[in-house]
Amino acid sequence: MNIITVKDAQEGGHKAFEIFKDELANNAQVFGLATGSTPITLYEDLVASDLDFSHKISINLDEYVGLAPDNPQSYHYFMQQHLFNKKPFAVSYLPDGLAKDADAETARYDEVIAGNPIDLQILGIGRNGHIGFNEPGSPLAGKTHKVPLTQSTIDANARFFENGEDVPRFAYSMGIGSILTAKHILLMAYGENKADAIKAMIDGPVTTHVPASALQNHNNVTVIVDEAAASKLSNK
């Protein structure tokens, strides 16, 4: 793994932007995208740039089951607000949260990934080492699947909904095996609360208990961390 240490998320976004730009210059066609607070500084730099994605393809990691694309809590909506409205791609694939048949939807998404090999995959990491919605215990060779959300995730999301019954209980997620098919993986992490996960991912054994540790098996991974997230690494 190539580990880049930065002072904060803003600098991390700048570094990630340079990597994104280099991949474009090297004729990358397909970009795997993530949601959440971690990639926002990258997306801000992309929006502010003169880069053009109108002939490129994006494939998102995940989406909540049961949320329509125009729901403000959906990942469709997040991507529109933070990137696609200003920097549209030729095609942007996301799981369909309203799909009637989960098996058919996960099979469809696997076909999307197989038919559009990802050149650069953007990732964040959870405090427990999850990537996408692949929680501890997820198979390291898994493909797209419907994931039951942990109670802690459901509780954390409850503040965004007026009615507790509206909080999603499931999500669709690219599997770890799907993520590992990307040619280049770029993972970002900021803050002391990510330090244990980063240490386990880089210094620990490859294990289903730390899903991100599977990245040790990939030959082209770049990790951007601030000093706090890197604070527990043996070779800082």
Side-chain angles (χ1 to χ4, degrees):
M1 293 183 185
N2 176 30
I3 302 168
I4 301 171
T5 304
V6 296
K7 63 180 180 181
D8 55 25
Q10 207 67 44
E11 185 183 350
H14 297 335
K15 291 287 187 183
F17 171 80
E18 291 301 324
I19 292 169
F20 215 101
K21 186 177 180 180
D22 288 345
E23 290 287 351
L24 270 177
N26 289 326
N27 202 35
Q29 299 296 314
V30 184
F31 294 86
L33 302 179
T35 55
S37 59
T38 299
I40 285 178
T41 55
L42 164 61
Y43 295 158
E44 287 173 347
D45 281 1
L46 292 175
V47 167
S49 76
D50 59 359
L51 299 182
D52 179 20
F53 304 113
S54 61
H55 299 291
K56 306 300 181 180
I57 294 170
S58 70
I59 304 178
N60 260 73
L61 277 171
D62 41 27
E63 177 60 286
Y64 288 119
V65 170
L67 297 191
D70 60 355
N71 187 305
Q73 303 308 325
S74 74
Y75 288 165
H76 276 77
Y77 190 90
F78 177 99
M79 293 305 304
Q80 290 293 337
Q81 294 298 307
H82 290 284
L83 186 61
F84 296 156
N85 284 344
K86 299 286 179 64
K87 291 288 183 180
F89 287 70
V91 184
S92 289
Y93 293 104
L94 292 94
D96 179 4
L98 299 181
K100 302 294 185 185
D101 185 330
D103 290 340
E105 177 58 13
T106 55
R108 178 192 75 86
Y109 216 63
D110 283 336
E111 290 179 4
V112 166
I113 297 165
N116 300 278
I118 296 170
D119 293 297
L120 177 65
Q121 175 66 58
I122 305 300
L123 293 177
I125 186 172
R127 297 183 194 184
N128 61 2
H130 74 236
I131 47 178
F133 271 118
N134 296 289
E135 298 288 348
S138 298
L140 301 185
K143 294 189 175 183
T144 307
H145 54 142
K146 182 179 178 180
V147 185
L149 300 183
T150 62
Q151 191 59 48
S152 62
T153 298
I154 293 169
D155 292 343
N157 289 343
R159 68 186 186 278
F160 300 121
F161 296 85
E162 290 184 13
N163 189 332
E165 295 179 358
D166 295 333
V167 182
R169 264 57 179 177
F170 294 89
Y172 291 119
S173 179
M174 254 190 227
I176 298 171
S178 306
I179 291 169
L180 292 176
T181 64
K183 295 171 188 170
H184 184 184
I185 295 173
L186 172 58
L187 184 145
M188 296 172 282
Y190 310 118
E192 188 177 359
N193 63 355
K194 299 295 178 71
D196 286 332
I198 289 296
K199 179 174 177 57
M201 176 184 82
I202 295 172
D203 291 341
V206 176
T207 169
T208 58
H209 296 301
V210 183
S213 67
L215 300 182
Q216 294 180 33
N217 294 330
H218 195 281
N219 64 6
N220 190 11
V221 177
T222 302
V223 180
I224 298 176
V225 284
D226 65 4
E227 293 172 0
S231 61
K232 297 186 178 180
L233 290 176
S234 55
N235 295 306
K236 289 186 282 184

